[in-house]
């Protein structure tokens, strides 16, 4: 097994002017999503740098890469690549070196190290991490369910929910519903509003599905005041939405 390319002490570097827009090319034989996330994570440690990121997905041929490298060379950019094929990784490394293009192989060193540890060859099949399978369709279905059952909507199908979140306004019901949906859970959420009874459907479903969300009254006051400042006067709630005494009363009612 070929050893992973070592960092070259003479690797090309670019001197950037204050206003220069540096271009990073993400190149992947799959979606490139993982490579982009890693790149952005590293960039967060270099605040204020003017950087443009372009993701090139499903790059599988040398011809595609040759065309990309010409653009990178012309723009004096950086290549960050994830390729499962060892031959393709080595070819990109060599071609980039010929053109004095800085290139970073994110996947190769880890693949080679794991192959050594496991005494096994990797599958070398692009896109396994993001393969469209039953789990993917389940997540999509759950997201659609959460959207349709947000804020007390579609109560006749509430019994199909795996979780039902209840709480006063601004306790994070919608964000939490969408977060859980990303993991395939069908989640509905229902608001507890002053002077309004909870829907009867909430009491006819399995009660162990129902989860109440609470929040400290001072934190809720802060959140609601910030929201009111962004709302148009005609869109503001019709009760003492951001009054401390009213919020305390709402939370006590929710606990009851």
């Amino acid at each position: 097994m070929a050893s992973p390319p070592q960092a070259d002490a003479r690797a090309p570097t670019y001197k950037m002017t204050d206003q220069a827009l540096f271009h990073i090319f993400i190149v992947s034989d799959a979606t490139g999503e993982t490579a982009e996330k890693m790149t952005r994570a590293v960039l967060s440690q270099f605040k204020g740098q003017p950087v443009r990121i372009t993701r090139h997905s499903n790059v599988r041929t040398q011809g595609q890469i040759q065309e990309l490298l010409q653009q990178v060379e012309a723009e004096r950019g950086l290549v960050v690549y994830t390729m499962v094929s060892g031959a393709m990784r080595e070819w990109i490394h060599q071609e980039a070196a010929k053109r004095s293009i800085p290139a970073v192989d994110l996947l190769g060193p880890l693949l080679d190290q794991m192959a050594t540890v496991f005494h096994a060859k990797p599958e070398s099949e692009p896109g396994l991490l993001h393969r469209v399978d039953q789990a993917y369709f389940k997540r999509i279905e759950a997201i659609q369910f959460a959207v349709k059952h947000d804020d007390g909507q579609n109560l006749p199908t509430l019994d199909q929910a795996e979780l039902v979140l209840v709480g006063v306004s601004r306790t994070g019901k919608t964000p939490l519903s969408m977060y859980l949906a990303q993991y395939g859970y069908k989640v509905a959420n229902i608001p507890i509003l002053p002077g309004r009874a909870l829907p009867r459907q909430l009491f006819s479903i399995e009660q162990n599905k129902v989860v109440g969300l609470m929040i400290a009254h001072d934190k809720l006051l802060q959140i609601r005041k910030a929201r009111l400042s962004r709302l148009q006067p005609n869109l503001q709630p019709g009760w003492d939405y951001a009054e401390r005494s009213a919020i305390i009363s709402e939370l006590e009612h929710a606990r009851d």
Side-chain angles (χ1 to χ4, degrees), residues 75-116:
E75 298 191 26
R76 297 173 62 81
L78 164 69
V79 174
V80 177
Y81 60 99
T82 52
M83 294 281 175
V84 295
S85 165
M88 189 66 80
R89 292 198 307 272
E90 181 62 25
W91 190 82
I92 294 175
H93 175 72
Q94 294 175 357
E95 289 298 308
K98 288 179 185 177
R99 299 171 181 265
S100 296
I101 295 172
V104 181
D105 179 5
L106 290 183
L107 197 59
L110 184 58
L111 269 173
D112 290 342
Q113 197 64 253
M114 284 189 173
T116 300

Side-chain angles (χ1 to χ4, degrees), residues 126-227:
L128 287 180
L129 180 62
H130 301 284
R131 171 175 285 172
V132 176
D133 54 14
Q134 286 303 112
Y136 170 82
F137 289 114
K138 182 180 179 181
R139 289 195 300 271
I140 296 301
E141 184 180 358
I143 292 170
Q144 292 174 339
F145 186 92
V147 171
K148 291 179 180 178
H149 293 80
D150 182 43
D151 202 31
Q153 300 182 81
N154 288 297
L155 290 172
T157 53
L158 188 66
D159 60 325
Q160 297 176 16
E162 295 173 277
L163 286 170
V164 179
L165 306 179
V166 296
V168 303
S169 176
R170 299 293 110 183
T171 48
K173 298 184 297 299
T174 296
L176 183 55
S177 296
M178 298 308 300
Y179 175 80
L180 292 171
Q182 297 287 336
Y183 290 90
Y185 293 102
K186 291 183 177 180
V187 184
N189 73 79
I190 296 175
I192 300 176
L193 300 173
R196 185 182 302 179
L198 287 167
R200 57 178 176 79
Q201 291 88 344
L202 183 63
F203 301 95
S204 62
I205 64 173
E206 296 178 36
Q207 293 300 287
N208 59 2
K209 294 181 177 181
V210 183
V211 179
L213 302 185
M214 293 299 293
I215 186 173
H217 72 269
D218 54 345
K219 183 64 175 179
L220 183 56
L221 177 63
Q222 179 184 354
I223 293 171
R224 287 189 177 182
K225 282 185 174 180
R227 182 168 186 259

